[in-house]
Amino acid sequence: MRARRVGARRSVFALFALLALTLVLSFLTVPVISVFTNTSPGELVSSLGESSARDALWLSFRTSLIALLIIVVVGTPSAYLLATRSFRGRSVVMTLIELPLVMPPAVAGIALLAAFGPRGIIGGAIEDSGIQLVLETTGVIVALTFVASPFFLRQAQAAFSAIDPSLLDASRTLGSGEGRTFLRVAVPSARAGLSAGLALAWGRALGEFGATLMFAGSFQGVTQTAPLAIFEQFTSEDGFTTALALSAVLIAASGAILLAVKLLAGSRTLASRGT
Amino acid sequence: MIPLLVFVGVLAALGLSACGSDDESGGSGGDLLVSAASSLQDAFDAYGERFDAAEIKPSYAGSDELAAQIRNGLTPDVYAAAETDLPQRLFEDGLVGEPVVFAGNRLVIAVPADGDAGIESIEDVAKPGVDLVIGAMDVPVGAYTLEVLDKLPAAQHEGILANVRSEEPEVSAVIGKLTQGAADAGFVYATDVPSAGDDLRTIALPDELQPEVAYGAAVVSGASNPQAAREFIDGLVEGPGQEALRDAGFLPPP
């Protein structure tokens, strides 16, 4: 009797969960599909022929890759340190690192201006050294790095934390230095988490809008990334198709990144299981 | 699980009731959604305080962006643009009622008050090395800027275009770049400069270069509060709205 009632309750919940999942799926996928079905594929492709669209995609690709490179080179050892050492104030450091993650993009833009802008607290020093950030491609890279790095750092820190410490100890006892242990043991073991963080960071960088506009500005070929071009096309009367076409490319690119990472992570897990 | 569901339910109910109650609260006539050009912000905020027929809920952005929203199905009650073509085309497509012209303005060059680029006239803006920020071509302030440049001698026109470092989606973004010292000069409306306090300095354009800046407003088709929308626009043409516009430095309609 009791068992049956529990069973019935379970199936009611299963039904509820199924409904919820259907809702989630349709809510998240219908807008994505609509980008592709709103206009014919031919029109989408031809509107990508516009120079502003091509410049924007190429700029987004270049700046996000450079930002990613910086994030990986600086972020990986930082995350390793955070994961393998416990020190006072570590949780404060983690919170500070994660803050840009929940910061509205417009706030990020203002914060970057307040710090690195010509009137910013260290902007003057930067300008004196001959580096110009605002209105320059370099400024776009700074904005992308700022908003995207926490995505990688968080994932990387979690991935390094999940490594069995005895594995790292073994490497050290076998005579490998800290650097060798990091490169030969820690990074390969954390590869799945690292690439997941990479994908999230790349996706965030490709989508960056507000901070880029406020900090770097918007100029074709220099600072107008794909999201900024989408916005400009949306506001011009006959630009909606171009806006859709650019959106389609960004969706495809983000999808490809996500898929590549899943495949990489998947094959890695299988391979490590096999050994 | 159950507490979580209750929590979500309460949140949803609060959210829904907050949306619903908006229709009844806010004075006698409910809410009035006003989509207005960003250059109108100060004047419309002041007008909103004097407007009794409804609670003004303004949304300020580039006139082109607001028009694109209306084209994509958004229905505010009032659309007020920094030019007359955008409302006119929306009217021709049946998306807004017949537009009225309610104000004029002047285009000026704004420079940071402590700027060291030595800009005193439009000729100086054409000098190599000047960082210039303008509105994008689709936003009225950008279109007016191009109108000014078209009247210049070719060499000066080219020189100024070569100095453009950013095309901003709305005039307030141009102002932002200037107050941050990110640029040496920008083309904005005369009324935008005082709102930036002491940060910016105005350089007037010669009369022969001045474009005809006119503001047009219309009741949006399918507005949920058409009567208050009508009243709001009437007050812009003559009454407290017109007074607020004059206080903010706007000119009578050209």
Side-chain angles (χ1 to χ4, degrees), chain B residues 151-247:
Chain B
K151 293 178 192 162
L152 292 170
Q156 228 177 72
H157 185 162
E158 292 303 312
I160 293 181
L161 277 187
N163 285 341
V164 173
R165 306 294 309 279
S166 186
E167 295 172 356
E168 301 287 331
E170 53 186 308
V171 68
S172 50
V174 178
I175 294 285
K177 287 282 184 297
L178 292 171
T179 52
Q180 283 303 317
D184 300 321
F187 285 90
V188 299
Y189 300 114
T191 51
D192 294 318
V193 182
S195 61
D198 299 330
D199 291 343
L200 301 183
R201 196 160 54 85
T202 300
I203 293 160
L205 290 174
D207 282 341
E208 65 271 18
L209 292 180
Q210 196 55 240
E212 190 181 280
V213 180
Y215 286 74
V219 179
V220 178
S221 306
S224 55
N225 204 346
Q227 200 175 343
R230 187 76 263 156
E231 251 177 81
F232 183 84
I233 292 175
D234 288 346
L236 280 177
V237 177
E238 203 184 328
Q242 185 60 230
E243 282 163 30
L245 285 163
R246 295 298 185 86
D247 290 348

Side-chain angles (χ1 to χ4, degrees), chain A residues 43-233:
Chain A
E43 267 185 288
L44 286 185
V45 172
S46 71
S47 57
L48 285 178
E50 278 184 40
S51 72
S52 67
R54 271 184 288 126
D55 282 356
L57 286 172
W58 174 229
L59 182 72
S60 268
F61 183 71
R62 273 186 304 152
T63 50
S64 64
L65 269 189
I66 296 172
L68 222 55
L69 192 72
I70 297 169
I71 291 170
V72 169
V73 169
V74 182
T76 316
S78 313
Y80 181 68
L81 191 73
L82 282 171
T84 51
R85 299 277 192 285
S86 55
F87 53 90
R88 268 181 73 183
R90 186 165 152 276
S91 61
V92 176
V93 173
M94 275 313 286
T95 310
L96 285 177
I97 285 175
E98 287 170 1
L99 201 54
L101 208 66
V102 289
M103 205 185 261
V107 177
I110 287 286
L112 287 173
L113 275 173
F116 309 130
R119 302 260 158 90
I121 48 174
I122 51 173
I126 292 175
E127 214 158 72
D128 291 344
S129 69
I131 302 169
Q132 229 212 325
L133 297 179
V134 292
L135 309 181
E136 296 283 358
T137 308
T138 325
V140 177
I141 296 167
V142 169
L144 300 192
T145 309
F146 183 75
V147 297
S149 52
F151 285 84
F152 177 76
L153 283 164
R154 237 173 85 102
Q155 287 279 338
Q157 193 264 349
F160 285 131
S161 300
I163 301 173
D164 186 353
S166 58
L167 202 63
L168 301 177
D169 287 340
S171 163
R172 286 187 202 109
T173 10
L174 290 174
S176 293
E178 194 62 34
R180 210 178 150 81
T181 304
F182 167 71
L183 282 176
R184 291 292 173 85
V185 183
V187 170
S189 316
R191 204 168 116 178
L194 291 177
S195 36
L198 208 62
L200 286 173
W202 200 356
R204 178 66 184 91
L206 278 178
E208 215 309 301
F209 176 82
T212 310
L213 181 61
M214 292 181 88
F215 184 61
S218 174
F219 195 75
Q220 185 180 337
V222 182
T223 50
Q224 190 180 68
T225 55
L228 295 178
I230 288 173
F231 183 73
E232 189 178 295
Q233 291 293 339

Side-chain angles (χ1 to χ4, degrees), chain B:
Chain B
M1 187 66 211
I2 298 297
L4 182 71
L5 281 179
V6 170
F7 178 68
V8 171
V10 167
L11 271 188
L14 277 177
L16 287 176
S17 69
C19 296
S21 66
D22 275 2
D23 296 333
E24 294 101 47
S25 71
S28 45
D31 286 344
L32 187 72
L33 304 179
V34 177
S35 284
S38 22
S39 51
L40 291 167
Q41 181 155 0
D42 289 351
F44 274 26
D45 283 349
Y47 180 25
E49 279 166 30
R50 298 176 212 173
F51 188 73
D52 303 325
E55 178 91 5
I56 306 296
K57 296 275 149 96
S59 161
Y60 301 110
S63 306
D64 56 330
E65 183 193 345
L66 299 168
Q69 289 172 352
I70 292 171
R71 288 194 180 278
N72 281 286
L74 208 77
T75 51
D77 297 295
V78 173
Y79 171 58
E83 54 137 275
T84 51
D85 284 350
L86 282 166
Q88 183 61 31
R89 282 200 294 277
L90 288 175
F91 170 58
E92 281 158 16
D93 294 339
L95 294 165
V96 303
E98 190 166 4
V100 295
V101 182
F102 64 91
N105 209 337
R106 290 176 76 80
L107 205 69
V108 298
I109 299 166
V111 297
D114 57 356
D116 51 7
I119 295 168
E120 297 301 334
S121 69
I122 190 159
E123 286 80 19
D124 296 336
V125 180
K127 286 190 302 196
V130 170
D131 287 342
L132 176 68
V133 176
I134 63 173
M137 195 173 60
D138 299 310
V139 69
V141 71
Y144 290 132
T145 303
L146 295 184
E147 236 179 272
V148 171
L149 300 189
D150 280 342
K151 293 178 192 162
L152 292 170
Q156 228 177 72
H157 185 162
E158 292 303 312
I160 293 181
L161 277 187
N163 285 341
V164 173
R165 306 294 309 279
S166 186
E167 295 172 356
E168 301 287 331
E170 53 186 308
V171 68
S172 50
V174 178
I175 294 285
K177 287 282 184 297
L178 292 171
T179 52
Q180 283 303 317
D184 300 321
F187 285 90
V188 299
Y189 300 114
T191 51
D192 294 318
V193 182
S195 61
D198 299 330
D199 291 343
L200 301 183
R201 196 160 54 85
T202 300
I203 293 160
L205 290 174
D207 282 341
E208 65 271 18
L209 292 180
Q210 196 55 240
E212 190 181 280
V213 180
Y215 286 74
V219 179
V220 178
S221 306
S224 55
N225 204 346
Q227 200 175 343
R230 187 76 263 156
E231 251 177 81
F232 183 84
I233 292 175
D234 288 346
L236 280 177
V237 177
E238 203 184 328
Q242 185 60 230
E243 282 163 30
L245 285 163
R246 295 298 185 86
D247 290 348
F250 285 85
L251 302 172

